[in-house]
Structure formats: structure tokens, C-alpha cells
């Protein structure tokens, strides 16, 4: 009560005093200081009521600042403890994510082309430098003169002849035809797939674009019209199939016709012979030297030439396909194609299928890079042609115009944008995929379309060193991890089939 009385005696409790904004002409402080309306007064200005300098605004701002700083600190701590200490990082090529998990692969290295004609030097062997010349930017294509010595070229040819070569031909196997039969695709769906310009009519060039329909035979407009006539698919004979005409056609008659027609070697997609020379443990010492050059005592871990050239991880290079050696006799050719196929849900990469645990009807070769070696000088023809190299745009249908098919390396090789003449020991290499923007494999580079021009005189010998990478980064990582585990547990006997070449384990061929 006493306190209440004292408070009453003291008068009413004043409210919190808020600063009031006073116009300059009524400011007593300004008048007392003898300042006019246009002169400054050295006092702290006050905010208008409920302005941005209000206490409430200040409190809200501080709350948000503290929340922001707290979130940033929490994120930094999360990243730090998730990645671990950088000093314990095992290296850029692979970082284990935990026990039993697949490693994380580093981004794939890709050389810069700079510009067409750009030259640089690279040390592939200890005793000299090699020159790398940019031939095109689309695809990213390079040339390296003198990559192999003349002696190495002759030896590779000799080893291939010792092993024996077989005819190179792309013919559907029984398993392929069986898989095609299991695919649930209607005749209407097939028509729409072939009808690339969606005009409801199948022109000859739309059918020609599907080279796989030829059953290994290179299809020409004359071939297509002969087939139409034999199976009575084109009643009016105009070379164009309507949807109704296509629907009336029995596809079994098409397959029967293709199987019954025997094509000459000049009519095939590819007219050559080839063999495979393995470069893994147990292979001939010179074959190993291409990947694993015998090194001097002071440098027992000298990287391989291909490894130095591609700047890829040893796991990727060593677990890729063996060396393919190809002989084109007089009249030999290989029509334009791409070395790697796109991976759809119905396909899987050949080299990683062992660890995929997926059941798919088709497999394809996933070749990130092609390194091609010329093993001899060709007397006539035999160039490697890139029909659309450095084109401004790419349109598959534009490859076939009127009577000119740019993919036909027997008749129209001279019309390609870029031709590389075979010179003994020279290597050319290019990327078959575009980057995906995240350091891995993206879409197939359509500009990598290439072929072997007709050999008009003599014989042409080449070798292909393909570098396999699965477009699925996780599957490639799992594959490399599994191969490393097999190597640790079982030694060379448990390595993949292509890693060994026991036929040359003890062979020593003198030059």
C-alpha cells in the first residue's frame, strides 16, 4: 500500500518518451545556436516515427543476421566433416566413400584443342618430345607424328600375322535377332521411328540412314528399290512408302530377303580383316611397351605413352579393350560410323556388364576415346575421313542429299570435310563423347563420324586403341573396384579375359 501511495503522490507514470521529429524552422536548438535554415547543426539527427531506424526494425534485422551466420557456420562444419581432412585424401583419381562403397571417380581429363592447327609438345618417352597438332574442334581431333617407331609398327603387323586375322564384318548374331524379336514394338511405332521428318512418308534417305537394317550390307538407293520390288512393298514404284504401304508389308519378308541375298565384299559396311593383340600382363613385351614403356632404373614408374597422352587414370587405360589390328587390302574400306554407341535403357556397356547386375537385351561398346595408329604408308587411298568435321551444324538427314551419301567411303570420300592421310608411325586420337558439364561422359559426339576411304593401291595397316568409359559414373567406379578386388585376391588368373595374352607370354620376335 505504501508503495502505491508513493506512486500516486509522484503523479502519473510517464510513458516511454519517443523522439519527435521537429522541422528545422521550429528547432529551438538551431535558433539558440544562431544558425539559419540552410546551415548545419552539429547534432545527431533523429528518425521519423516508425522509420527504418526504429527499434523493431533493428531487432528483426539482427535476428535474421544471426540466423544467416548460424546457417553458414553449420554448412561449413557439415562440409568439413563430410569430406574429411584434405591431408588424408588418397588422391584425385579415387576417394573411398566408406567401407564397401564404390569409389568416387575424379573428372575425366580432356585436352583443349585451342584452334585448328594449334601445336604443342608433350613428353611421351624419355628421350624426346612429340608434337600434337589440332586437326578439328568438332570432333576434338589431334594428330601426333612419330608416335610409334617404324620398328614397332613392323612388329605389331608381324604379331598380328602370327596370330591370324579374321574377316571384319558387322553381322547380327542369332542372339541379336532373338533380342530384336523380344522387343515389343509395333509396326506403327517402327514407322514413326524411321519417319524422321514426321511427314507420314518414308523417303529413301530415311531408310538409308538406318544402316543396321542392311544386315551387314551397305544399303544404296538401288538396293532399297530392289528390295521393295522383291517383297512387293512399293506398289506404285515411287520409292516412297506411305503408312498404309508400310503397314501392309510383312517384316518377315524383309528379313528373309536380307538373309537370302549374298552381298559381295565391296557391298559390305566394312571390308577388312582384323585381330586383337592383348597388352596386359603376359603380353609381348613390345605390346606392353606401348602401354607400359620399359623404364630406366631411376624411373621405374614411368607412365605409358597412351597414359601420358590421354592423361587418364591407369585403371581406365589398363582395363580398356586390347589393341585391334586391322588390314585393308586393295578395295578395302569402312563406311562412315561412330566408334561408340549411345547407352539407352535397353543397352549396357560391354566392358562393365559383369558388374551391372542388369538384364538388358543389347550391349554396346562405350569408347570414350579412339587412338588410331597408322602402321604403314599406303600407296593409294586409305585416308581416314571425317565427313562433317567442324560443320557449323549437324543434321543426320543432310548426310544424304540427292545421289551423294557422305557416309559412303567408296564413292564420296573426296566430299568429306577432313581427310587424314596414313603415314607410318603417326597416331590420331579423338573424343567420341561430349562432356556432360560435370566432368564425365555426356552424349555421343555426332561430329566424330568417320570412316576408312577406299584403298585403291596396296595394303593399309592400322591399329585401334580404344579407351572404355561407362557413361554411368557409378557403374564405372564399381567396375574398377571389382577388378581391383579380383586382382588382389586371385592375381592374374582372375583378371578380365582381355587383360591377358598368354599366346605371347614367352614369344620374342626379332625385327
Amino acid at each position: 500500500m505504501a508503495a502505491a501511495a508513493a506512486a500516486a503522490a509522484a503523479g502519473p507514470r510517464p510513458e516511454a518518451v519517443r523522439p519527435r521529429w521537429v522541422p528545422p524552422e521550429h528547432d529551438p536548438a538551431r535558433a539558440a545556436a544562431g544558425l539559419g535554415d540552410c546551415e548545419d547543426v552539429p547534432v545527431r539527427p533523429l528518425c521519423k516515427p516508425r522509420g527504418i531506424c526504429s527499434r523493431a526494425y533493428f531487432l528483426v534485422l539482427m535476428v535474421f543476421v544471426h540466423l544467416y551466420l548460424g546457417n553458414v557456420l553449420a554448412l561449413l562444419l557439415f562440409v568439413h566433416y563430410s569430406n574429411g581432412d584434405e591431408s588424408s585424401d588418397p588422391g584425385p583419381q579415387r576417394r573411398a566413400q566408406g567401407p564397401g562403397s564404390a569409389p568416387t571417380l575424379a573428372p575425366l581429363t580432356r585436352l583443349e584443342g585451342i584452334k585448328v592447327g594449334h601445336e604443342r609438345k608433350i613428353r611421351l618417352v624419355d628421350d624426346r618430345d612429340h608434337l600434337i597438332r589440332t586437326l578439328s574442334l568438332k570432333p576434338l581431333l589431334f594428330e601426333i607424328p612419330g608416335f610409334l617407331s617404324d620398328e614397332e609398327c613392323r612388329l605389331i603387323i608381324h604379331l598380328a600375322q602370327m596370330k591370324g586375322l579374321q574377316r571384319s564384318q558387322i553381322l547380327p548374331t542369332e542372339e541379336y535377332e532373338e533380342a530384336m524379336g523380344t522387343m515389343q514394338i509395333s509396326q506403327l511405332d517402327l514407322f514413326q521411328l524411321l519417319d524422321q521428318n514426321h511427314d507420314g512418308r518414308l523417303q529413301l534417305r530415311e531408310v538409308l540412314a538406318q544402316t543396321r537394317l542392311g544386315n551387314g550390307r551397305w544399303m544404296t538407293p538401288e538396293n532399297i528399290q530392289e528390295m521393295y520390288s522383291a517383297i512387293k512393298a512399293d506398289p506404285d514404284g515411287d520409292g516412297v512408302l506411305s503408312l498404309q504401304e508400310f503397314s501392309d508389308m510383312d517384316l518377315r519378308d524383309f528379313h528373309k530377303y536380307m538373309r537370302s541375298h549374298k552381298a559381295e565384299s565391296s557391298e559390305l559396311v566394312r571390308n577388312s580383316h582384323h585381330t586383337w593383340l592383348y597388352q596386359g600382363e603376359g603380353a609381348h613385351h613390345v605390346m606392353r611397351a606401348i602401354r607400359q614403356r620399359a623404364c630406366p632404373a631411376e624411373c621405374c614408374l614411368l607412365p605409358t605413352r597412351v597414359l601420358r597422352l590421354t592423361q587418364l587414370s591407369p585403371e581406365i587405360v589398363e582395363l580398356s579393350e586390347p589393341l585391334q589390328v586391322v588390314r585393308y587390302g586393295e578395295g578395302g574400306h569402312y563406311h562412315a560410323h561412330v566408334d561408340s554407341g549411345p547407352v539407352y535403357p535397353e543397352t549396357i556397356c560391354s566392358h562393365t556388364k559383369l558388374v551391372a547386375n542388369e538384364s538388358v537385351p543389347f550391349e554396346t561398346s562405350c569408347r570414350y576415346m579412339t587412338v588410331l595408329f597408322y602402321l604403314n604408308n599406303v600407296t593409294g587411298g586409305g585416308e581416314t575421313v571425317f565427313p562433317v568435321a567442324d560443320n557449323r551444324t549437324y543434321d543426320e538427314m543432310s548426310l544424304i542429299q540427292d545421289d551423294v551419301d557422305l557416309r559412303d567411303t567408296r564413292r564420296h570420300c573426296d566430299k568429306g570435310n577432313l581427310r587424314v592421310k596414313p603415314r607410318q608411325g603417326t597416331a590420331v586420337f579423338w573424343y567420341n563423347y561430349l562432356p556432360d558439364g560435370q566432368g564425365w561422359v555426356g552424349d555421343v559426339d555426332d561430329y566424330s563420324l568417320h570412316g576408312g576411304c577406299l584403298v585403291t593401291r596396296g595394303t593399309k595397316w592400322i591399329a585401334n586403341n580404344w579407351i572404355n568409359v561407362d557413361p554411368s559414373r557409378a557403374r564405372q567406379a564399381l567396375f574398377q573396384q571389382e577388378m581391383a578386388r579380383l586382382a588382389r585376391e586371385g592375381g592374374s588368373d582372375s583378371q578380365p579375359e582381355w587383360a591377358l595374352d598368354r599366346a605371347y607370354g614367352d614369344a620374342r620376335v626379332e625385327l
Side-chain angles (χ1 to χ4, degrees):
M1 295 296 290
R13 184 175 181 178
E15 297 181 0
V17 178
R18 293 179 178 174
R20 297 180 59 192
W21 180 73
V22 182
E25 61 270 18
H26 298 101
D27 189 349
R30 180 181 292 269
L35 298 174
D37 290 343
C38 297
E39 298 179 27
D40 292 332
V41 59
V43 295
R44 182 173 59 88
L46 298 176
C47 293
K48 296 183 180 181
R50 303 185 182 276
I52 60 170
C53 296
S54 66
R55 182 172 181 272
Y57 176 85
F58 176 76
L59 291 175
V60 171
L61 178 64
M62 292 306 297
V63 168
F64 276 104
V65 169
H66 280 79
L67 288 175
Y68 173 78
L69 292 175
N71 287 334
V72 170
L73 290 173
L75 179 61
L76 291 175
L77 288 172
F78 172 78
V79 171
H80 173 76
Y81 287 109
S82 296
N83 290 341
D85 189 0
E86 288 294 332
S87 62
S88 62
D89 192 339
Q93 285 296 335
R94 194 164 53 186
R95 296 181 177 90
Q97 294 178 333
S101 64
T104 299
L105 300 182
L108 296 171
T109 305
R110 192 177 179 92
L111 271 67
E112 293 291 337
I114 312 299
K115 64 178 181 179
V116 174
H118 177 76
E119 295 182 348
R120 77 195 79 178
K121 291 183 179 180
I122 186 173
R123 180 63 62 92
L124 299 176
V125 293
D126 278 354
D127 54 350
R128 70 186 184 94
D129 292 331
H130 284 78
L131 187 71
I132 298 182
R133 181 182 302 112
T134 302
L135 297 184
S136 78
L137 300 179
K138 295 191 304 182
L140 200 51
L141 169 66
F142 304 90
E143 180 184 49
I144 311 142
F147 187 95
L148 296 177
S149 67
D150 293 350
E151 292 78 10
E152 288 172 325
C153 291
R154 290 197 295 268
L155 177 60
I156 293 173
I157 293 175
H158 194 99
L159 292 176
Q161 291 172 327
M162 284 178 59
K163 191 168 185 179
L165 291 87
Q166 61 182 5
R167 175 171 288 279
S168 310
Q169 184 46 43
I170 306 172
L171 290 172
T173 62
E174 294 181 0
E175 292 80 4
Y176 178 87
E177 293 183 352
E178 181 181 349
M180 286 293 292
T182 60
M183 291 189 67
Q184 298 179 350
I185 181 170
S186 67
Q187 206 144 329
L188 174 61
D189 292 335
L190 182 58
F191 180 88
Q192 293 175 340
L193 192 67
L194 297 173
D195 184 18
Q196 296 191 25
N197 61 3
H198 308 294
D199 65 348
R201 294 156 56 87
L202 285 186
Q203 282 82 17
L204 283 175
R205 63 175 184 167
E206 290 177 313
V207 179
L208 288 172
Q210 309 301 319
T211 54
R212 290 182 181 272
L213 295 177
N215 198 30
R217 176 182 176 180
W218 182 253
M219 304 299 287
T220 65
E222 296 78 16
N223 299 146
I224 298 292
Q225 290 179 322
E226 287 175 9
M227 181 187 67
Y228 284 171
S229 176
I231 65 178
K232 298 178 173 59
D234 184 21
D236 53 13
D238 63 352
V240 179
L241 296 185
S242 66
L243 176 57
Q244 185 61 50
E245 290 173 335
F246 188 83
S247 300
D248 293 340
M249 182 176 66
D250 191 338
L251 292 180
R252 289 175 297 183
D253 293 338
F254 164 75
H255 292 298
K256 183 178 179 180
Y257 173 84
M258 297 306 300
R259 285 195 300 267
S260 64
H261 185 84
K262 180 176 176 59
E264 300 294 330
S265 60
S266 61
E267 299 177 309
L268 299 175
V269 172
R270 182 180 187 182
N271 181 20
S272 64
H273 291 76
H274 77 275
T275 191
W276 299 91
L277 297 182
Y278 300 97
Q279 298 171 274
E281 295 294 335
H284 188 278
H285 67 98
V286 172
M287 297 306 302
R288 286 293 293 163
I290 295 176
R291 279 189 180 173
Q292 190 69 52
R293 166 73 74 175
C295 53
E298 66 271 17
C299 183
C300 61
L301 294 177
L302 180 66
T304 70
R305 271 180 284 180
V306 172
L307 194 62
R308 284 183 170 181
L309 175 66
T310 63
Q311 300 178 20
L312 296 171
S313 73
E315 294 88 349
I316 287 179
V317 174
E318 290 289 341
L319 294 174
S320 291
E321 293 175 66
L323 191 74
Q324 184 195 57
V325 183
V326 188
R327 183 189 71 222
Y328 294 90
E330 191 165 309
H333 71 277
Y334 194 173
H335 289 305
H337 59 284
V338 291
D339 280 348
S340 193
V343 178
Y344 298 119
E346 298 82 14
T347 64
I348 198 169
C349 294
S350 301
H351 74 288
T352 56
K353 65 180 180 179
L354 298 176
V355 299
N357 294 324
E358 299 175 24
S359 177
V360 294
F362 302 109
E363 63 181 69
T364 186
S365 298
C366 300
R367 294 162 173 166
Y368 176 62
M369 292 180 64
T370 296
V371 185
L372 185 153
F373 309 108
Y374 296 112
L375 302 179
N376 73 322
N377 296 310
V378 183
T379 306
E383 300 92 345
T384 303
V385 62
F386 293 81
V388 293
D390 284 328
N391 254 19
R392 183 172 299 177
T393 59
Y394 175 85
D395 178 14
E396 186 176 13
M397 297 309 300
S398 67
L399 295 171
I400 308 170
Q401 296 288 345
D402 300 326
D403 294 331
V404 176
D405 186 345
L406 290 177
R407 304 167 306 160
D408 190 333
T409 59
R410 292 186 65 88
R411 296 192 289 182
H412 304 301
C413 220
D414 59 326
K415 297 178 178 64
N417 286 357
L418 174 65
R419 296 189 305 278
V420 183
K421 184 176 178 60
R423 292 183 176 86
Q424 186 177 41
T426 294
V428 291
F429 74 97
W430 64 89
Y431 297 88
N432 295 304
Y433 289 91
L434 298 170
D436 67 347
Q438 300 178 358
W440 205 249
V441 173
D443 295 330
V444 171
D445 188 350
D446 294 324
Y447 293 93
S448 68
L449 183 76
H450 67 284
C453 296
L454 178 68
V455 177
T456 57
R457 290 183 59 195
T459 302
K460 170 186 172 183
W461 286 89
I462 65 167
N464 293 304
N465 211 154
W466 286 301
I467 309 299
N468 301 115
V469 176
D470 196 312
S472 168
R473 199 169 190 166
R475 195 158 53 212
Q476 178 72 27
L478 184 61
F479 167 71
Q480 292 181 198
Q481 184 185 53
E482 183 65 12
M483 293 302 102
R485 183 188 66 81
L486 291 175
R488 287 194 305 269
E489 294 180 358
S492 61
D493 290 337
S494 57
Q495 292 183 25
E497 178 184 354
W498 60 82
L500 301 175
D501 185 10
R502 302 183 189 284
Y504 299 130
D506 300 319
R508 291 294 182 270
V509 179
E510 298 299 329
L511 298 175

